Amino acid sequence: MKYAKTLTDFILEEERNFKEATGSFSLLMLYIEQAAKVIASHVGRSGLVDIIGASGYKNQSNDDVQKLDIFANTALTESIRASKQAGLIASEEMESALITNEKNAKYAVFFDPLDGSSNIDVNISIGTIFSIYRMNERALQKGIKQIAAGYIIYGPSIMFVYTCENKVHGFTYDPSIGSFLLSHENIRTPEKGNIYSINEAYYNTFPQYIQKYVQYAKKTDMKLRYVGSMVSDVHRTLLKGGVFMYPQDTRSPDGKLRLMYEVNPMALIMQNAGGMAVCESSSPLLIQPTHLHERQPLLIGSTQNVKDILSFI
Ligand code: AHM
Ligand code: MG
């Protein structure tokens, strides 16, 4: 039987490659992995809520179930706190950042606990996104300072994808043993793909260069795919190539996606897989965030496809 490396093995092995490693980062990652499993198990039973009722769901403290995105937020926050490695925790579901009492903690963690949560009711893939920085006097650092970022996709199979040290790896959950197994080592996104992904219903509100690109795409052999769940759309783009777009438009001049929880972690993953991400014309990773819940437009995917869009500016 072939030995399959688990995410836990992998994280610990990576740690051994760093002479100065103290184990602190690995510990944080292992607690995030644990929270991902708890969230996955709840997401997997979300359709049963009307049948078995709220009492079918208990969290670790035995409280009754909350809305799934609030549950995911609590599960991640509690798990990251329990690791004692984070000095700052912030999420799309929290009004302000949580400063923990861990004085020597080295890391700051930002996350979107359940992205695309409007898709839960109709059994469409959703995800969790996280982003890790070193603690700094400045709570909001540029995306380029992320030391790791990742997402968990709750789809037909559950995957944990993360980037650290310029590499992107994917792990698929095996429920029979309760572990994520290395299934996609060193993911490289294709240089060019034939799928574009955008909510075309907003076409009339898009900036002109996006409208021109969409018109151009329709004249090529490109296909349109849009799940409306960013983790799913970006995951497909990462593996198959192409481009995902959530531009600014006249309804939302800054776009919809949040810089700290959605745009920056995905941009780092895509960049480290050899792809490209831009806000309008430059990398979101270079933006100095001005507030926690800041939004930014995003074009992300295969380098050639992103460049094609920029050529219409
Ligand atoms: P959310 O964080 O409230 O779930 O919103 C983000 C989601 C993304 O997953 C997705 O790409 C986008 O909203 C879809 O928005 P729209 O319905 O405008 O196309
Ligand atoms: Mg979100």
Side-chain angles (χ1 to χ4, degrees):
M1 194 180 88
K2 204 174 156 223
Y3 174 71
K5 201 179 279 181
T6 66
L7 174 59
T8 310
D9 292 340
F10 192 88
I11 290 168
L12 296 174
E13 224 172 74
E14 292 284 288
E15 180 193 313
R16 285 194 285 275
N17 294 334
F18 283 94
K19 283 202 207 85
E20 289 105 51
T22 59
S24 167
F25 176 72
S26 305
L27 204 56
L28 176 61
M29 285 293 292
L30 296 179
Y31 275 79
I32 293 176
E33 176 190 359
Q34 188 54 30
K37 290 180 188 172
V38 173
I39 298 168
S41 104
H42 280 248
V43 169
R45 289 183 294 153
S46 55
L48 296 173
V49 101
D50 291 340
I51 302 169
I52 58 177
S55 59
Y57 295 80
K58 298 276 181 190
N59 66 15
Q60 284 168 335
S61 345
N62 236 19
D63 302 327
D64 269 336
V65 72
Q66 300 149 309
K67 257 185 87 204
L68 209 51
D69 41 7
I70 306 298
F71 171 82
N73 188 56
T74 311
L76 261 163
T77 308
E78 282 179 7
S79 199
I80 293 166
R81 278 187 98 154
S83 78
K84 300 188 183 302
Q85 307 307 318
L88 182 150
I89 303 171
S91 113
E92 202 183 286
E93 296 292 338
M94 299 179 196
E95 217 164 286
S96 51
L98 173 78
I99 308 296
T100 70
N101 291 325
E102 305 297 340
K103 295 217 168 44
N104 298 319
K106 288 198 244 170
Y107 302 107
V109 187
F110 295 76
F111 58 85
D112 181 352
L114 220 47
D115 182 64
S117 49
S118 62
N119 285 315
I120 296 170
D121 293 351
V122 284
N123 203 12
I124 285 173
S125 302
I126 47 179
T128 294
I129 312 171
F130 65 89
S131 157
I132 306 176
Y133 295 78
R134 278 192 195 288
M135 282 295 283
N136 188 280
E137 299 139 19
R138 208 174 228 195
L140 298 178
Q141 303 175 60
K142 292 182 183 170
I144 195 84
K145 296 277 185 193
Q146 291 171 103
I147 57 163
Y151 60 80
I152 299 97
I153 177 165
Y154 312 102
S157 48
I158 300 157
M159 279 191 74
F160 191 115
V161 176
Y162 86 100
T163 184
C164 188
E165 293 294 324
N166 303 315
K167 289 260 166 58
V168 184
H169 305 293
F171 301 79
T172 303
Y173 190 63
D174 180 346
S176 66
I177 56 168
S179 298
F180 285 101
L181 303 178
L182 180 60
S183 53
H184 297 63
E185 191 166 7
N186 196 12
I187 297 172
R188 304 298 296 166
T189 205
E191 174 70 21
K192 188 174 169 74
N194 70 343
I195 299 174
Y196 74 102
S197 184
I198 189 168
N199 191 337
E200 249 192 83
Y202 308 142
Y203 181 87
N204 290 334
T205 70
F206 290 153
Q208 221 180 29
Y209 71 97
I210 298 290
Q211 290 179 335
K212 282 185 182 161
Y213 177 76
V214 169
Q215 289 309 326
Y216 155 83
K218 286 179 194 295
K219 290 185 196 126
T220 68
D221 64 350
M222 292 190 89
K223 298 175 197 171
L224 167 66
R225 294 281 184 275
Y226 189 74
V227 180
S229 183
M230 189 212 190
V231 176
S232 311
D233 282 317
V234 172
H235 182 68
R236 181 199 54 246
T237 307
L238 185 73
L239 297 185
K240 291 199 162 178
V243 65
F244 167 78
M245 299 168 265
Y246 208 110
Q248 69 276 51
D249 55 40
T250 50
R251 299 163 315 130
S252 40
D254 297 325
K256 177 181 185 187
L257 304 173
R258 318 276 182 136
L259 182 62
M260 300 304 292
Y261 321 109
E262 293 164 328
V263 174
N264 274 340
M266 290 309 200
L268 188 73
I269 293 167
M270 191 58 80
Q271 188 174 298
N272 286 349
M276 193 172 169
V278 294
C279 271
E280 273 164 276
S281 53
S282 61
S283 170
L285 301 174
L286 302 175
I287 296 173
Q288 174 57 55
T290 52
H291 57 277
L292 200 53
H293 298 295
E294 174 170 345
R295 296 172 197 270
Q296 286 289 345
L298 177 67
L299 314 175
I300 186 168
S302 298
T303 303
Q304 195 49 57
N305 295 82
V306 175
K307 285 185 177 164
D308 285 348
I309 303 172
L310 298 181
S311 71
F312 288 100
I313 292 186

mmCIF file of all heavy atoms in Angstrom, residues 92 112 114-118 199 202 226 228-231 233 244 246 251 256-257 262, ligand 1:
data_model
loop_
_atom_site.group_PDB
_atom_site.id
_atom_site.type_symbol
_atom_site.label_atom_id
_atom_site.label_comp_id
_atom_site.label_asym_id
_atom_site.label_seq_id
_atom_site.Cartn_x
_atom_site.Cartn_y
_atom_site.Cartn_z
ATOM 1 N N GLU A 92 -14.198 38.171 8.973
ATOM 2 C CA GLU A 92 -15.262 38.879 8.280
ATOM 3 C C GLU A 92 -16.513 38.976 9.152
ATOM 4 O O GLU A 92 -17.317 39.884 9.005
ATOM 5 C CB GLU A 92 -15.580 38.116 6.982
ATOM 6 C CG GLU A 92 -16.241 38.982 5.962
ATOM 7 C CD GLU A 92 -16.625 38.230 4.698
ATOM 8 O OE1 GLU A 92 -15.733 37.912 3.911
ATOM 9 O OE2 GLU A 92 -17.826 37.999 4.505
ATOM 10 N N ASP A 112 -12.042 34.403 6.674
ATOM 11 C CA ASP A 112 -13.466 34.432 6.322
ATOM 12 C C ASP A 112 -13.962 33.040 6.674
ATOM 13 O O ASP A 112 -13.609 32.070 5.993
ATOM 14 C CB ASP A 112 -13.630 34.735 4.823
ATOM 15 C CG ASP A 112 -15.102 34.805 4.418
ATOM 16 O OD1 ASP A 112 -15.961 34.461 5.258
ATOM 17 O OD2 ASP A 112 -15.387 35.179 3.277
ATOM 18 N N LEU A 114 -16.810 31.333 6.527
ATOM 19 C CA LEU A 114 -17.613 30.566 5.567
ATOM 20 C C LEU A 114 -17.964 31.468 4.397
ATOM 21 O O LEU A 114 -18.962 32.183 4.436
ATOM 22 C CB LEU A 114 -18.876 30.041 6.266
ATOM 23 C CG LEU A 114 -19.305 28.622 5.904
ATOM 24 C CD1 LEU A 114 -18.163 27.629 5.920
ATOM 25 C CD2 LEU A 114 -20.397 28.153 6.818
ATOM 26 N N ASP A 115 -17.115 31.436 3.406
ATOM 27 C CA ASP A 115 -17.344 32.300 2.255
ATOM 28 C C ASP A 115 -18.365 31.670 1.308
ATOM 29 O O ASP A 115 -18.359 30.460 1.094
ATOM 30 C CB ASP A 115 -16.032 32.527 1.504
ATOM 31 C CG ASP A 115 -16.242 33.458 0.343
ATOM 32 O OD1 ASP A 115 -16.592 34.623 0.592
ATOM 33 O OD2 ASP A 115 -16.110 33.008 -0.815
ATOM 34 N N GLY A 116 -19.223 32.526 0.765
ATOM 35 C CA GLY A 116 -20.258 32.034 -0.157
ATOM 36 C C GLY A 116 -21.405 31.403 0.606
ATOM 37 O O GLY A 116 -22.104 30.521 0.094
ATOM 38 N N SER A 117 -21.612 31.872 1.840
ATOM 39 C CA SER A 117 -22.560 31.167 2.716
ATOM 40 C C SER A 117 -24.004 31.224 2.220
ATOM 41 O O SER A 117 -24.825 30.415 2.642
ATOM 42 C CB SER A 117 -22.446 31.667 4.156
ATOM 43 O OG SER A 117 -22.484 33.056 4.189
ATOM 44 N N SER A 118 -24.294 32.132 1.275
ATOM 45 C CA SER A 118 -25.662 32.149 0.739
ATOM 46 C C SER A 118 -25.930 30.885 -0.088
ATOM 47 O O SER A 118 -27.069 30.581 -0.439
ATOM 48 C CB SER A 118 -25.882 33.399 -0.108
ATOM 49 O OG SER A 118 -24.998 33.380 -1.196
ATOM 50 N N ASN A 199 -19.762 37.528 -12.632
ATOM 51 C CA ASN A 199 -21.222 37.629 -12.584
ATOM 52 C C ASN A 199 -21.669 38.577 -13.704
ATOM 53 O O ASN A 199 -21.736 39.802 -13.522
ATOM 54 C CB ASN A 199 -21.694 38.130 -11.221
ATOM 55 C CG ASN A 199 -23.198 37.971 -11.080
ATOM 56 O OD1 ASN A 199 -23.912 37.905 -12.092
ATOM 57 N ND2 ASN A 199 -23.682 37.914 -9.858
ATOM 58 N N TYR A 202 -24.185 41.704 -14.004
ATOM 59 C CA TYR A 202 -23.854 43.113 -13.685
ATOM 60 C C TYR A 202 -23.152 43.813 -14.859
ATOM 61 O O TYR A 202 -22.569 44.882 -14.677
ATOM 62 C CB TYR A 202 -22.936 43.174 -12.455
ATOM 63 C CG TYR A 202 -23.432 42.413 -11.231
ATOM 64 C CD1 TYR A 202 -22.533 41.722 -10.422
ATOM 65 C CD2 TYR A 202 -24.774 42.403 -10.864
ATOM 66 C CE1 TYR A 202 -22.964 41.032 -9.297
ATOM 67 C CE2 TYR A 202 -25.214 41.710 -9.736
ATOM 68 C CZ TYR A 202 -24.309 41.030 -8.959
ATOM 69 O OH TYR A 202 -24.721 40.346 -7.844
ATOM 70 N N TYR A 226 -19.476 30.288 -13.436
ATOM 71 C CA TYR A 226 -19.567 31.156 -12.259
ATOM 72 C C TYR A 226 -20.406 30.472 -11.195
ATOM 73 O O TYR A 226 -21.614 30.318 -11.365
ATOM 74 C CB TYR A 226 -20.162 32.523 -12.637
ATOM 75 C CG TYR A 226 -20.076 33.548 -11.524
ATOM 76 C CD1 TYR A 226 -18.861 34.153 -11.196
ATOM 77 C CD2 TYR A 226 -21.207 33.892 -10.785
ATOM 78 C CE1 TYR A 226 -18.781 35.079 -10.168
ATOM 79 C CE2 TYR A 226 -21.119 34.823 -9.751
ATOM 80 C CZ TYR A 226 -19.906 35.411 -9.455
ATOM 81 O OH TYR A 226 -19.819 36.329 -8.444
ATOM 82 N N GLY A 228 -20.427 31.537 -7.942
ATOM 83 C CA GLY A 228 -20.922 32.551 -7.000
ATOM 84 C C GLY A 228 -20.446 32.250 -5.601
ATOM 85 O O GLY A 228 -20.965 32.766 -4.610
ATOM 86 N N SER A 229 -19.420 31.403 -5.526
ATOM 87 C CA SER A 229 -18.793 31.056 -4.260
ATOM 88 C C SER A 229 -17.302 31.182 -4.562
ATOM 89 O O SER A 229 -16.751 30.383 -5.332
ATOM 90 C CB SER A 229 -19.200 29.617 -3.936
ATOM 91 O OG SER A 229 -18.707 29.209 -2.716
ATOM 92 N N MET A 230 -16.682 32.233 -4.025
ATOM 93 C CA MET A 230 -15.337 32.579 -4.476
ATOM 94 C C MET A 230 -14.335 31.439 -4.336
ATOM 95 O O MET A 230 -13.485 31.235 -5.206
ATOM 96 C CB MET A 230 -14.851 33.795 -3.691
ATOM 97 C CG MET A 230 -13.568 34.350 -4.230
ATOM 98 S SD MET A 230 -12.590 35.050 -2.910
ATOM 99 C CE MET A 230 -11.342 35.870 -3.830
ATOM 100 N N VAL A 231 -14.418 30.721 -3.222
ATOM 101 C CA VAL A 231 -13.448 29.640 -3.017
ATOM 102 C C VAL A 231 -13.560 28.623 -4.153
ATOM 103 O O VAL A 231 -12.556 28.169 -4.698
ATOM 104 C CB VAL A 231 -13.637 28.978 -1.632
ATOM 105 C CG1 VAL A 231 -12.704 27.802 -1.471
ATOM 106 C CG2 VAL A 231 -13.399 29.987 -0.515
ATOM 107 N N ASP A 233 -14.832 29.142 -7.220
ATOM 108 C CA ASP A 233 -14.423 29.734 -8.494
ATOM 109 C C ASP A 233 -12.898 29.892 -8.585
ATOM 110 O O ASP A 233 -12.307 29.661 -9.640
ATOM 111 C CB ASP A 233 -15.134 31.082 -8.702
ATOM 112 C CG ASP A 233 -16.584 30.905 -9.163
ATOM 113 O OD1 ASP A 233 -16.830 30.056 -10.041
ATOM 114 O OD2 ASP A 233 -17.475 31.604 -8.636
ATOM 115 N N PHE A 244 -10.836 34.546 -12.835
ATOM 116 C CA PHE A 244 -12.015 34.891 -12.036
ATOM 117 C C PHE A 244 -11.975 36.401 -11.803
ATOM 118 O O PHE A 244 -10.928 36.962 -11.473
ATOM 119 C CB PHE A 244 -11.990 34.146 -10.690
ATOM 120 C CG PHE A 244 -12.996 34.680 -9.697
ATOM 121 C CD1 PHE A 244 -14.344 34.350 -9.806
ATOM 122 C CD2 PHE A 244 -12.615 35.529 -8.663
ATOM 123 C CE1 PHE A 244 -15.285 34.852 -8.909
ATOM 124 C CE2 PHE A 244 -13.540 36.035 -7.762
ATOM 125 C CZ PHE A 244 -14.881 35.690 -7.884
ATOM 126 N N TYR A 246 -13.969 39.780 -9.952
ATOM 127 C CA TYR A 246 -15.012 40.519 -9.236
ATOM 128 C C TYR A 246 -14.565 41.978 -9.246
ATOM 129 O O TYR A 246 -13.915 42.454 -8.331
ATOM 130 C CB TYR A 246 -15.286 40.005 -7.814
ATOM 131 C CG TYR A 246 -16.746 40.320 -7.455
ATOM 132 C CD1 TYR A 246 -17.686 39.312 -7.347
ATOM 133 C CD2 TYR A 246 -17.163 41.637 -7.332
ATOM 134 C CE1 TYR A 246 -19.021 39.614 -7.087
ATOM 135 C CE2 TYR A 246 -18.488 41.941 -7.086
ATOM 136 C CZ TYR A 246 -19.413 40.929 -6.966
ATOM 137 O OH TYR A 246 -20.721 41.233 -6.743
ATOM 138 N N ARG A 251 -22.425 49.814 -8.881
ATOM 139 C CA ARG A 251 -23.156 49.510 -7.630
ATOM 140 C C ARG A 251 -22.203 49.542 -6.448
ATOM 141 O O ARG A 251 -22.533 49.969 -5.361
ATOM 142 C CB ARG A 251 -23.776 48.105 -7.662
ATOM 143 C CG ARG A 251 -24.778 47.814 -8.730
ATOM 144 C CD ARG A 251 -24.958 46.293 -8.857
ATOM 145 N NE ARG A 251 -23.670 45.615 -8.841
ATOM 146 C CZ ARG A 251 -23.359 44.587 -8.069
ATOM 147 N NH1 ARG A 251 -24.247 44.059 -7.271
ATOM 148 N NH2 ARG A 251 -22.147 44.058 -8.107
ATOM 149 N N LYS A 256 -16.657 43.877 -4.266
ATOM 150 C CA LYS A 256 -17.387 43.288 -3.152
ATOM 151 C C LYS A 256 -16.467 42.576 -2.171
ATOM 152 O O LYS A 256 -16.742 42.498 -0.976
ATOM 153 C CB LYS A 256 -18.394 42.277 -3.710
ATOM 154 C CG LYS A 256 -19.175 41.552 -2.639
ATOM 155 C CD LYS A 256 -20.149 40.544 -3.224
ATOM 156 C CE LYS A 256 -21.006 39.930 -2.127
ATOM 157 N NZ LYS A 256 -21.835 38.830 -2.626
ATOM 158 N N LEU A 257 -15.373 42.031 -2.691
ATOM 159 C CA LEU A 257 -14.552 41.131 -1.872
ATOM 160 C C LEU A 257 -13.664 41.893 -0.902
ATOM 161 O O LEU A 257 -13.187 42.994 -1.198
ATOM 162 C CB LEU A 257 -13.723 40.232 -2.793
ATOM 163 C CG LEU A 257 -14.575 39.427 -3.792
ATOM 164 C CD1 LEU A 257 -13.689 38.685 -4.781
ATOM 165 C CD2 LEU A 257 -15.514 38.470 -3.050
ATOM 166 N N GLU A 262 -10.302 37.826 1.830
ATOM 167 C CA GLU A 262 -10.588 37.125 0.574
ATOM 168 C C GLU A 262 -9.546 37.443 -0.493
ATOM 169 O O GLU A 262 -8.928 36.549 -1.056
ATOM 170 C CB GLU A 262 -11.998 37.519 0.079
ATOM 171 C CG GLU A 262 -13.100 37.020 1.000
ATOM 172 C CD GLU A 262 -14.456 37.686 0.789
ATOM 173 O OE1 GLU A 262 -14.484 38.888 0.424
ATOM 174 O OE2 GLU A 262 -15.489 37.037 1.010
HETATM 175 P P1 AHM B 1 -19.830 36.562 1.277
HETATM 176 O O1 AHM B 1 -18.484 36.741 1.935
HETATM 177 O O2 AHM B 1 -20.908 37.399 1.876
HETATM 178 O O3 AHM B 1 -20.198 35.104 1.164
HETATM 179 O O4 AHM B 1 -19.708 37.174 -0.206
HETATM 180 C C1 AHM B 1 -18.652 36.810 -1.014
HETATM 181 C C2 AHM B 1 -19.178 35.979 -2.149
HETATM 182 C C3 AHM B 1 -18.087 35.296 -2.919
HETATM 183 O O5 AHM B 1 -17.918 33.987 -2.483
HETATM 184 C C4 AHM B 1 -18.593 35.318 -4.336
HETATM 185 O O6 AHM B 1 -17.544 35.344 -5.267
HETATM 186 C C5 AHM B 1 -19.399 36.583 -4.381
HETATM 187 O O7 AHM B 1 -19.814 36.841 -3.056
HETATM 188 C C6 AHM B 1 -20.615 36.435 -5.256
HETATM 189 O O8 AHM B 1 -21.261 37.677 -5.319
HETATM 190 P P2 AHM B 1 -22.423 37.968 -6.386
HETATM 191 O O9 AHM B 1 -23.620 37.229 -5.894
HETATM 192 O O10 AHM B 1 -22.567 39.442 -6.369
HETATM 193 O O11 AHM B 1 -21.957 37.460 -7.715
#
